Amino acid sequence: MKVVVRDDAGLLGVETALWVRDHGHEVEMLSAPHGLDSLTGEEITEALHGCSVVIDLSCQPSLAIGTLTEDQGFVIDEEELVESWLRSTRRLLQAETAAGVTHHVSLSVAGVGRAVNMGVFRALQAQESLIQQSAMAYSILRSTQTFESAEDMAAVSTEDWIVWVPPVEVRPVALTDVAMLLAHTAVSRPRIGVREIAGPEKTRLDIFVRAALR
């Protein structure tokens, strides 16, 4: 079985591809650091040729979705983010249908179903709804923050050289564990639903970020 991992050239995509290969399946990367719009239809069609499963890791919170400013901190154009992620996901789903793909796996963020409908959560909610309403069999995996994301979280929370992180409770998870579960989900039957993954230990977000920065 051929599995295509669609990502933005990050570490998670590589880890996921390696775990898919460990399951004994063919895997190919469809990486576009500047978004799916930077790829031609021919490039997408070629990558999906003979593909059965697509793992989409492209719509994830990162520094690439906004701008760090001195006076306002991290700023996101919410409307543009929603439209961009929906456009990318819609185009990918259409290409998958044309190629005969039978299973779409998407990575989301834990708590999306319970979070307020704004910012990144609004974009993720819209993306999940689009996938669920499509004709494609799907599995959605929601993950908590990874240990490897601590520095990015600190960067978007820094103002005047001070890192402002709320003391909320989190359960960070290892990036490798997320990659393993994504690969297992991809080579299994579609869930037609949502699954969440979180780390085994609870901690406060500010403590988690402080420890990572040290």
Side-chain angles (χ1 to χ4, degrees):
M1 182 173 71
K2 178 180 176 181
V3 178
V4 169
V5 179
R6 157 74 181 103
D7 75 337
D8 293 327
L11 179 60
L12 180 59
V14 175
E15 284 264 2
T16 302
L18 290 174
W19 283 108
V20 171
R21 190 168 294 151
D22 280 354
H23 278 282
H25 298 282
E26 177 186 357
V27 63
E28 183 172 334
M29 302 295 297
L30 180 60
S31 296
H34 302 295
L36 200 65
D37 289 342
S38 65
L39 300 178
T40 66
E42 290 75 15
E43 289 174 318
I44 298 173
T45 299
E46 181 179 354
L48 296 185
H49 179 71
C51 173
S52 299
V53 184
V54 169
I55 304 175
D56 185 15
L57 311 178
S58 60
C59 298
Q60 288 298 298
S62 72
L63 291 176
I65 65 174
T67 304
L68 277 172
T69 65
E70 292 185 1
D71 54 343
Q72 295 179 318
F74 190 64
V75 178
I76 297 174
D77 184 335
E78 186 175 316
E79 295 301 327
E80 172 57 28
L81 181 63
V82 172
E83 178 55 34
S84 173
W85 283 8
L86 285 181
R87 183 172 62 248
S88 175
T89 302
R90 188 178 294 111
R91 187 182 181 198
L92 185 58
L93 287 169
Q94 290 171 347
E96 290 173 16
T97 300
V101 173
T102 57
H103 186 188
H104 179 95
V105 179
S106 180
L107 179 62
S108 189
V109 173
V112 163
R114 304 180 295 275
V116 63
N117 187 23
M118 63 182 296
V120 174
F121 286 105
R122 178 185 168 198
L124 287 168
Q125 288 169 350
Q127 184 206 28
E128 287 191 12
S129 294
L130 178 63
I131 294 169
Q132 292 166 340
Q133 293 167 11
S134 73
M136 180 69 62
Y138 70 90
S139 301
I140 295 174
L141 177 64
R142 294 175 180 165
S143 172
T144 56
Q145 300 91 343
T146 64
F147 287 103
E148 293 77 3
S149 68
E151 290 188 15
D152 275 354
M153 284 189 284
V156 302
S157 305
T158 300
E159 184 178 350
D160 294 331
W161 300 100
I162 299 175
V163 181
W164 301 92
V165 181
V168 296
E169 190 175 84
V170 294
R171 291 172 58 185
V173 63
L175 180 144
T176 296
D177 289 341
V178 177
M180 288 175 58
L181 186 54
L182 282 166
H184 178 73
T185 301
V187 301
S188 304
R189 296 179 64 178
R191 296 184 63 87
I192 317 296
V194 177
R195 181 177 182 178
E196 293 198 349
I197 179 174
E201 297 182 3
K202 296 179 181 179
T203 184
R204 285 194 346 229
L205 184 59
D206 56 330
I207 295 175
F208 164 57
V209 172
R210 184 182 298 113
L213 293 179
R214 286 175 176 168

